[in-house]
Amino acid sequence: GEDVEQSLFLSVREGDSSVINCTYTDSSSTYLYWYKQEPGAGLQLLTYIFSNMDMKQDQRLTVLLNKKDKHLSLRIADTQTGDSAIYFCAEMASGTYKYIFGTGTRLKVLA
Amino acid sequence: GAVVSQHPSRVICKSGTSVKIECRSLDFQATTMFWYRQFPKKSLMLMATSNEGSKATYEQGVEKDKFLINHASLTLSTLTVTSAHPEDSSFYICSAHTSGGESTEAFFGQGTRLTVV
């Protein structure tokens, strides 16, 4: 099957780090992505990781990939109120442009 | 990055009417576009793959006669919700892909919020 799961909610204080987790089932996925969706808006690509990588860092964002456990995480350092949004992980299976999205994690940043 | 424009951003229509949503890739050509539907507080569900010059490929459970997809050019795909009903009210998002460079990346439209009254 192709199920991508995330925890539904996460609440952190401003300045703390946020860690959003994702588990997926399709081991053939070539790329894994993190998208941000603000209320009423479309999707904004935050970062992605190729399946042969373990970690990728991009400014405040760190992506960790554990292929053995099919676990992906997104760490946001120094979380700000503007980071409040829904975060979706997504996988793209090899040989296709189809995306399978996770259930989404609603991040709330408390001032 | 590449830009995908979706229009309209919001539409309200009466039950029984049809609504057309456009998805345009503004600065690149897209042979394949995807249409997603997002229910309130839910994830995005792939509805169909839109192929330029050929029929769309629909995901299981999606009615092809209700959700008509046309991909007449390399920069435009349209989704028409026919005989709309209130249960069709949702957020519809399209995506188009470029390839090359470091990754294969999808670019998403801004989404269309459809309300059927």
Side-chain angles (χ1 to χ4, degrees):
Chain A
E2 299 173 328
D3 291 325
V4 183
E5 296 186 355
Q6 301 176 234
S7 51
L8 291 179
F9 299 102
L10 176 65
S11 180
V12 299
R13 292 197 178 278
E14 191 174 21
D16 288 350
S17 293
S18 307
V19 179
I20 302 171
N21 295 301
C22 170
T23 57
Y24 61 97
T25 57
D26 187 354
S27 59
S28 68
S29 293
T30 308
Y31 293 98
L32 294 134
Y33 301 85
W34 283 103
Y35 283 88
K36 177 182 180 182
Q37 184 181 36
E38 298 192 39
L43 297 176
Q44 174 194 354
L45 176 65
L46 289 178
T47 187
Y48 63 90
I49 188 167
F50 188 49
S51 59
N52 69 353
M53 299 168 64
D54 298 326
M55 185 185 84
K56 181 178 180 181
Q57 187 156 359
D58 184 359
Q59 298 183 332
R60 292 193 296 125
L61 305 178
T62 303
V63 179
L64 296 178
L65 175 61
N66 182 328
K67 279 197 75 175
K68 176 176 171 290
D69 295 336
K70 299 190 183 70
H71 184 263
L72 181 73
S73 68
L74 173 70
R75 178 177 180 270
I76 305 173
D78 187 25
T79 313
Q80 303 297 306
T81 54
D83 295 325
S84 293
I86 300 175
Y87 291 80
F88 292 97
C89 62
E91 58 177 341
M92 185 180 74
S94 176
T96 173
Y97 288 140
K98 286 186 181 182
Y99 277 40
I100 308 297
F101 283 88
T103 45
T105 299
R106 185 178 296 271
L107 173 65
K108 184 174 182 179
V109 182
L110 305 173
Chain B
V3 178
V4 174
S5 176
Q6 195 172 332
H7 178 80
S9 57
R10 292 178 179 272
V11 58
I12 300 172
C13 71
K14 291 184 177 180
S15 289
T17 61
S18 296
V19 174
K20 180 185 284 187
I21 303 169
E22 293 186 348
C23 180
R24 293 181 184 272
S25 55
L26 296 186
D27 49 3
F28 66 101
Q29 293 183 330
T31 55
T32 304
M33 292 184 177
F34 296 87
W35 288 95
Y36 295 84
R37 180 175 179 176
Q38 185 179 29
F39 292 96
K41 299 183 180 179
K42 298 287 186 184
S43 187
L44 288 83
M45 301 301 295
L46 178 64
M47 297 174 66
T49 303
S50 174
N51 304 300
E52 187 268 335
S54 65
K55 290 183 179 180
T57 304
Y58 291 82
E59 296 298 302
Q60 192 173 7
V62 178
E63 298 176 63
K64 62 180 181 181
D65 294 330
K66 179 162 190 64
F67 299 100
L68 301 179
I69 292 172
N70 184 282
H71 196 150
S73 76
L74 288 171
T75 60
L76 174 64
S77 174
T78 61
L79 168 69
T80 302
V81 182
T82 63
S83 187
H85 289 283
E87 56 264 32
D88 298 325
S89 298
S90 195
F91 194 59
Y92 294 86
I93 305 179
C94 69
S95 74
H97 296 252
T98 62
S99 60
E102 195 175 334
S103 85
T104 300
E105 182 177 343
F107 296 91
F108 286 82
Q110 309 94 314
T112 297
R113 184 162 300 284
L114 170 63
T115 303
V116 184
V117 297

